[in-house]
Amino acid sequence: MQNRMMITGAGSGLGREIALRWAREGWQLALSDVSEPGLQETLRLVRDAGGDGFTQRCDVRDYSQLTALAQACEVKLGGIDVIVNNAGVASGGFFAELSLEDWDWQIAINLMGVVKGCKAFLALLEKSKGRIINIASMAALMQGPAMSNYNVAKAGVVALSESLLVELKQQEIGVHVVCPSFFQTNLLDSFRGPTPAMKAQVGKLLESSPISATDIADYIYQRVSEGEFMILPHEQGRMAWTLKQKNPQLLYDEMTLMADKMRAKAQAIKA
């Protein structure tokens, strides 16, 4: 296998850390993001880490930009071996407060961006017998309260990955889906939600995480090399997923209590 990887959302956070982890193995990287300055910084760090590659601005909502990126990979790298559909945005708010525009925005980026990434690169992956790594979230499996649009988009990424796992087996394309819990990231920069209180609560969760994006990238690297399909980097996430599989009602009860607390807190702030 050659060592050529494309990453969306590579300008910061987990996307950047994945780039650096593979750069340490000497990989060639096609880095894309909507932030040009972030991309330039990632490329500089990638070169310092022992990798190389190129940057190309890409909004994953626009399929033509993704097909242009795939063409650039063919021209500059001679193809692609691994794609990482990582670009994503955060949002939150109770269902009653979320507008349909909030839903469209979330699904357009976090779900359809992944669908379009897989579609745009499929022909190249067939040639290289490559791999797809889709970044979902523990929200896809646990459906926490006050983030229904995010939960649905990320659950869609898991369902897409499961579908591709079985459909692409014959073409010898490997598929992985990663479900991190909250971790220290700049995801909040893109946060959209109806109330500032919701953003503050999500911020607290991110800060309290014991695991960094660097740790997650390292865990992904190990598990991908072992051929694991569903990659759950957080120990607490793995425990919660095991619990849900054994006793889902217990988890729903816990989430209901959490929703009640969040609602009470939001009302207290309003008062």
Side-chain angles (χ1 to χ4, degrees):
M1 189 191 210
Q2 293 197 21
N3 298 341
R4 303 161 301 186
M5 173 184 263
M6 183 286 293
I7 306 167
T8 64
S12 63
L14 183 58
R16 174 178 287 172
E17 293 303 330
I18 289 170
L20 293 179
R21 181 65 190 85
W22 266 263
R24 290 206 292 277
E25 310 299 321
W27 280 54
Q28 294 286 311
L29 299 157
L31 305 166
S32 80
D33 201 288
V34 289
S35 162
E36 294 271 15
L39 281 178
Q40 292 314 315
E41 177 64 7
T42 301
L43 183 60
R44 186 184 68 74
L45 293 166
V46 155
R47 285 176 174 155
D48 289 350
D52 201 2
F54 71 94
T55 66
Q56 189 158 314
R57 190 186 182 280
C58 179
D59 184 333
V60 296
R61 288 174 293 186
D62 183 347
Y63 185 61
S64 67
Q65 290 185 33
L66 281 158
T67 54
L69 180 61
Q71 283 165 346
C73 288
E74 196 161 22
V75 171
K76 295 179 182 185
L77 306 179
I80 207 77
D81 303 292
V82 180
I83 65 165
V84 184
N85 291 303
N86 164 72
V89 288
S91 69
F94 285 106
F95 181 73
E97 299 163 347
L98 291 170
S99 68
L100 289 178
E101 287 74 22
D102 290 331
W103 276 89
D104 288 343
W105 179 76
Q106 182 58 239
I107 284 169
I109 299 169
N110 281 5
L111 175 55
M112 289 311 298
V114 177
V115 171
K116 289 171 184 174
C118 292
K119 193 91 176 151
F121 280 85
L122 188 59
L124 288 180
L125 291 168
E126 282 175 344
K127 280 184 198 164
S128 65
K129 301 197 179 344
R131 293 175 187 267
I132 294 168
I133 302 173
N134 291 329
I135 308 298
S137 164
M138 278 310 292
L141 306 176
M142 309 310 290
Q143 290 88 41
M147 49 200 285
S148 55
N149 58 345
Y150 185 79
N151 293 341
V152 167
K154 292 295 191 178
V157 173
V158 171
L160 170 70
S161 304
E162 289 176 332
S163 305
L164 295 179
L165 175 71
V166 295
E167 280 191 35
L168 300 179
K169 192 89 166 178
Q170 208 174 5
Q171 286 96 307
E172 296 177 63
I173 296 172
V175 179
H176 310 268
V177 65
V178 184
C179 296
S181 306
F182 287 114
F183 58 93
Q184 291 140 4
T185 177
N186 65 341
L187 195 62
L188 275 193
D189 295 351
S190 68
F191 185 91
R192 267 196 203 184
T195 62
M198 199 62 70
K199 184 166 180 171
Q201 282 182 290
V202 175
K204 276 204 186 103
L205 279 170
L206 295 175
E207 281 162 26
S208 67
S209 170
I211 186 168
S212 70
T214 312
D215 300 327
I216 293 170
D218 196 50
Y219 189 86
I220 295 168
Y221 183 85
Q222 290 163 19
R223 295 298 163 139
V224 165
S225 58
E226 287 164 23
E228 189 165 284
F229 167 65
M230 187 177 283
I231 299 171
L232 309 180
H234 292 74
E235 192 182 351
Q236 277 180 309
R238 294 191 289 276
M239 284 160 61
W241 178 228
T242 304
L243 168 70
K244 185 177 180 180
Q245 288 170 301
K246 285 183 182 160
N247 190 345
Q249 191 57 51
L250 197 66
L251 194 87
Y252 301 144
D253 293 345
E254 191 63 41
M255 292 288 188
T256 306
L257 285 173
M258 195 193 290
D260 293 343
K261 278 182 194 161
M262 286 170 87
R263 220 179 250 112
K265 209 175 217 177
Q267 268 153 5
I269 290 168
K270 271 184 201 165

